[in-house]
């Protein structure tokens, strides 16, 4: 099994970042605009389309309000196993540390998945910092 870890600093309050992350159906507009181009809720699952046209079905595993952590699994896609989580924490100065972790099988998909996660976390940072400047919440 491959373990992939990405983190970034986001110059937005943890409360604002958590609000966007926990909005399960708005991934393409509130969290990762441009990286995810569409997000449709189907029987509770989130069917997302990426910028390259690939599509996966994600199932929400848990949403922990206190820990500001969301966990999900890709249940229809190229993986034999996929489990991921994203967690929001305060950087000690009012901004956010955003961590995204995935465990996947087969290992042959690790390089591509890591590349996508790197692009994705950059899109998260850009989306949230851009939105923050527009609405002036910080």
């Amino acid at each position: 099994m491959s373990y992939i870890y990405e983190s970034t600093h986001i110059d937005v309050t943890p409360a604002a970042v958590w609000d966007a992350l926990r909005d399960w159906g708005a991934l393409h507009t509130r969290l990762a605009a441009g990286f995810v181009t569409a997000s449709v809720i189907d029987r509770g699952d989130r069917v997302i389309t990426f910028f390259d046209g690939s599509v996966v079905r994600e199932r929400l595993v848990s949403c922990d309000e206190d820990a500001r952590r969301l966990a999900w699994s890709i249940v229809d896609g190229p993986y034999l196993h996929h489990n991921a989580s994203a967690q929001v924490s305060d950087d000690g100065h009012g901004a956010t540390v955003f961590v995204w972790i995935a465990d996947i099988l087969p290992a042959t998909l690790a390089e591509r998945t890591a590349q996508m996660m790197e692009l994705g976390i950059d899109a998260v940072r850009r989306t949230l910092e851009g939105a923050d400047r527009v609405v002036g919440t910080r």
Side-chain angles (χ1 to χ4, degrees):
M1 186 170 305
S2 294
Y3 166 81
I4 304 163
Y5 176 97
E6 290 287 337
S7 71
T8 192
H9 181 269
I10 302 173
D11 194 22
V12 176
T13 65
V17 175
W18 173 242
D19 189 58
L21 174 60
R22 68 187 295 280
D23 193 350
W24 183 245
L27 179 65
H28 64 303
T29 57
R30 296 195 62 205
L31 195 66
F35 177 69
V36 174
T37 59
S39 177
V40 176
I41 301 300
D42 179 41
R43 297 177 310 234
D45 291 346
R46 176 170 70 185
V47 180
I48 63 170
T49 304
F50 293 98
F51 69 94
D52 65 357
S54 59
V55 177
V56 297
R57 175 180 289 270
E58 298 178 328
R59 183 155 301 144
L60 182 63
V61 174
S62 66
C63 179
D64 186 325
E65 296 285 341
D66 294 330
R68 292 182 175 156
R69 181 180 178 272
L70 194 71
W72 66 96
S73 181
I74 292 177
V75 294
D76 183 17
Y79 300 98
L80 295 175
H81 172 84
H82 176 281
N83 190 70
S85 65
Q87 190 161 9
V88 171
S89 61
D90 194 305
D91 73 348
H93 303 285
T96 298
V97 175
F98 186 98
V99 174
W100 181 6
I101 297 171
D103 295 306
I104 66 162
L105 283 173
T108 55
L109 294 175
E111 185 176 338
R112 167 113 170 98
T113 302
Q115 291 169 349
M116 289 292 280
M117 286 175 62
E118 186 176 333
L119 291 171
I121 205 162
D122 186 53
V124 167
R125 182 188 46 73
R126 285 185 290 106
T127 300
L128 291 168
E129 287 181 348
D132 189 52
R133 283 191 292 276
V134 171
V135 299
T137 60
R138 184 156 195 267

